[in-house]
Amino acid sequence: MVDIDIPKNYTASPSSFSGTPHLTINRDVTVDFDSSNAFEGPEKLLEVWFSESSSSLPVATAPAGLRIVPSEIWKDMLDLVNCKVLSIIESEHVDAYLLSESSMFVFPHKLILKTCGTTTLLWGLPRILEIAALVAGFPHTIANQIVGTGTAAIPYRVFYSRKNFLFPDRQRGPHRSWRDEVKSLDRLFLGGSAYMIGKMNGEHWYLYLTEPNTILTPPATPERRETETKMLELPMSKASLTTCDKDDDEDETLELLMTDLDEGNAKQFYLDHASAVAEGQYYEEAHKARVDAEQHVGDINDVHPRAAKPSNNGYLKTIHENVDVFSNISSDPADPGSDLEDLIYPEELTTEGHALGTVVSESSGLADVYPPSKYPDARIDAYLFTPCGFSANGVIPAPDGPDATHYFTVHVTPEPNCSYASFETNVPSKQTGRETADVIEQVVNIFKPGRFSVTLFEGKKPVDDDIDDDDPGTEAAQRIRALTRKIGRKNSRMDHIRGYRRVDRIVHDLEGYELVFKYYERFDWEGGAPRLGEVAF
């Protein structure tokens, strides 16, 4: 049961304590929030890196980097994007902002902003560059006044991506078309590259990225040629084979974009359904508490009335404080002989918010993707909207020490006419001890989409060019053969997601990264061709 005495406005979660992620809830923003007008599930995703890693921040930069920026300043930036902060998880290495439209993650050296609906994400980018310069102290320069800021930090690298929109005509600002988005980014950065991955007349994904040590567009740059969007339909060649650097091996991002969700599975993300689940669990826990107390009562004079072990469920954790554990009654509150009908049922389990978000996170299985048994310090911040819709951020400290903290984020639009769900994580596969395909299958089974795409970014270090790899006996040749086998096994496993057939596969080498894109359809899917609101660009 959730704590019903949360103070107004922002408050620290009572379960937060030193050494673990710390949750802050914005009570004002969540009052009367209604997501019934949500329609565009596919998110816009922006990553801005100001340094190669958190351990290599520029000398003049604040030691905490971007994390020194107060939340109020980020909120002002998010006003430009047209979304609000619902709650914040603060941890040692990353702050996770749950937004009214998706999520934001702030690391010392980079910021990740993911927004859905008709948000204007790129309108916030100049302000992000300005904040990084003026507040965090990253190296900066005089920016192009045309883009709305006079001072801008110089990014190390920038990534912007999204799936094709279902309703592009409803977008605002530069997001009405991919071409306009590229133009907007070109006004800020020199030498950016734009790609379209997938079929022009089918499901596809757009990507814009800059090279390492990005160059800002100078203030007086003359009219220049528009960046051309390249079509990626390339098989992996020997030239793209790479080996993992020890440090780069942790840089791995997996994203699943799922459409046409199974209606039965999508019901989990409706408020009415979640409230019914919570009610059943609430009274079941109350009954179990009484039974457990009666079985272990022993000498009645020696038993404390709260002797029963509390449930681990966050939303039921204080139930034992509200139940007379020594009352021998029925567990059905409708039973005239049951005094469970006198138990005060918390309002938080009947309305949208974090309490029902926690219910859905646990009952749907999302909380088990990175289970507490392996990640005891992990924290999930989830929110269920009215009348439906779900968002969650997870902060996942490395289980073997405090040297790294990763994240995952989930967003769901369950309405049948535009059903969509996304899952993104940078938890390295070697840390989980599982194949990437196993994580994909676990997530896909929660939603059972008619179709979905996978993008996998992995940071890589090129094979040394000065070693002769034509001689089969050389170390380089042996490394290439071993890597070829490893990549072959991984790709083969990802090609065979149970219950689905792979329709499309593209593997491409980008500077410093390997990009894998795959598109799948369910074997029994009868929904016809993809619903393309946006064709090509």
Side-chain angles (χ1 to χ4, degrees), residues 83-367:
C83 61
K84 299 294 183 182
V85 175
L86 300 179
S87 50
I88 308 169
I89 299 178
E90 297 176 357
S91 69
E92 186 175 354
H93 301 98
V94 59
D95 297 330
Y97 289 69
L98 194 64
L99 308 179
S100 55
E101 284 85 7
S102 301
S103 301
M104 181 173 75
F105 298 90
V106 181
F107 294 82
H109 65 298
K110 66 179 178 180
L111 178 142
I112 301 171
L113 180 56
K114 186 171 193 172
T115 65
C116 61
T118 57
T119 50
T120 49
L121 187 151
L122 290 179
W123 281 356
L125 181 51
R127 179 63 177 144
I128 292 171
L129 301 179
E130 186 177 46
I131 291 170
L134 300 181
V135 184
F138 281 93
H140 56 276
T141 187
I142 302 302
N144 189 339
Q145 290 287 348
I146 296 176
V147 300
T149 182
T151 303
I154 303 170
Y156 170 72
R157 203 160 192 186
V158 177
F159 303 84
Y160 175 72
S161 63
R162 66 171 176 83
K163 181 186 177 295
N164 54 292
F165 288 136
L166 294 176
F167 309 99
D169 56 310
R170 301 183 188 179
Q171 294 296 321
R172 294 180 290 171
H175 300 291
R176 293 187 179 94
S177 73
W178 176 244
R179 177 168 293 171
D180 287 345
E181 290 171 314
V182 171
K183 286 181 179 179
S184 178
L185 290 160
D186 279 348
R187 293 171 67 193
L188 284 167
F189 311 114
L190 285 177
S193 299
Y195 300 90
M196 191 197 81
I197 300 100
K199 298 178 179 178
M200 293 181 66
N201 61 345
E203 294 282 356
H204 51 272
W205 185 75
Y206 296 107
L207 170 67
Y208 181 100
L209 75 164
T210 64
E211 296 180 351
N213 302 308
T214 299
I215 301 175
L216 294 174
T217 300
T221 298
E223 192 69 26
R224 56 196 176 91
R225 187 176 179 181
E226 175 185 333
T227 298
E228 179 184 358
T229 297
K230 303 165 188 172
M231 315 298 174
L232 289 191
E233 298 179 355
L234 307 175
M236 184 178 66
S237 65
K238 179 180 176 181
S240 70
L241 288 175
T242 53
T243 56
C244 296
D245 180 82
K246 182 177 180 180
D247 296 328
D248 290 339
D249 193 28
E250 295 295 311
D251 188 3
E252 175 182 323
T253 302
L254 171 69
E255 186 178 33
L256 277 71
L257 307 177
M258 299 165 276
T259 59
D260 303 288
L261 311 183
D262 178 84
E263 291 191 18
N265 292 60
K267 285 181 181 178
Q268 301 175 92
F269 304 97
Y270 280 77
L271 189 145
D272 289 347
H273 183 276
S275 184
V277 170
E279 182 177 7
Q281 293 178 344
Y282 184 86
Y283 288 113
E284 181 180 357
E285 286 291 315
H287 179 67
K288 287 181 179 178
R290 291 195 175 100
V291 172
D292 183 67
E294 291 167 359
Q295 291 177 344
H296 299 85
V297 64
D299 185 351
I300 190 69
N301 296 319
D302 296 333
V303 176
H304 190 279
R306 296 181 186 176
K309 182 179 178 181
S311 166
N312 289 327
N313 291 338
Y315 59 94
L316 294 174
K317 64 183 178 182
T318 61
I319 191 172
H320 299 77
E321 300 180 8
N322 296 276
V323 179
D324 177 7
V325 295
F326 297 102
S327 177
N328 186 14
I329 58 165
S330 165
S331 62
D332 184 358
D335 188 336
S338 168
D339 68 357
L340 283 181
E341 62 186 10
D342 298 327
L343 186 63
I344 299 176
Y345 188 68
E347 183 181 357
E348 283 80 359
L349 297 182
T350 64
T351 59
E352 76 162 66
H354 291 84
L356 282 182
T358 301
V359 171
V360 173
S361 176
E362 294 174 350
S363 63
S364 67
L366 285 168

Side-chain angles (χ1 to χ4, degrees), residues 418-432:
C418 56
S419 64
Y420 171 85
S422 69
F423 173 88
E424 179 185 341
T425 183
N426 73 339
V427 179
S429 56
K430 79 172 188 179
Q431 179 177 302
T432 66

Side-chain angles (χ1 to χ4, degrees), residues 371-449:
S373 58
K374 182 167 184 177
Y375 302 93
D377 294 327
R379 183 64 185 268
I380 299 176
D381 178 18
Y383 194 97
L384 187 70
F385 296 93
T386 299
C388 61
F390 174 84
S391 287
N393 287 340
V395 173
I396 315 293
D400 299 327
D403 294 336
T405 299
H406 300 96
Y407 72 89
F408 77 87
T409 183
V410 180
H411 302 282
V412 186
T413 302
E415 294 95 327
N417 63 318
C418 56
S419 64
Y420 171 85
S422 69
F423 173 88
E424 179 185 341
T425 183
N426 73 339
V427 179
S429 56
K430 79 172 188 179
Q431 179 177 302
T432 66
R434 295 190 294 168
E435 293 283 346
T436 301
D438 295 330
V439 176
I440 293 172
E441 283 188 348
Q442 184 173 359
V443 173
V444 165
N445 284 335
I446 293 171
F447 299 98
K448 288 188 168 52

Side-chain angles (χ1 to χ4, degrees), residues 449-488:
R451 40 190 149 223
F452 70 95
S453 63
V454 171
T455 57
L456 177 64
F457 266 99
E458 292 184 286
K460 300 294 180 180
K461 179 181 178 182
V463 174
D464 296 334
D465 294 331
D466 58 348
I467 300 178
D468 180 13
D469 59 350
D470 291 330
D471 183 349
T474 65
E475 179 184 354
Q478 294 171 1
R479 279 169 27 195
I480 288 177
R481 286 198 300 272
L483 182 61
T484 302
R485 290 193 296 270
K486 178 181 177 181
I487 292 174

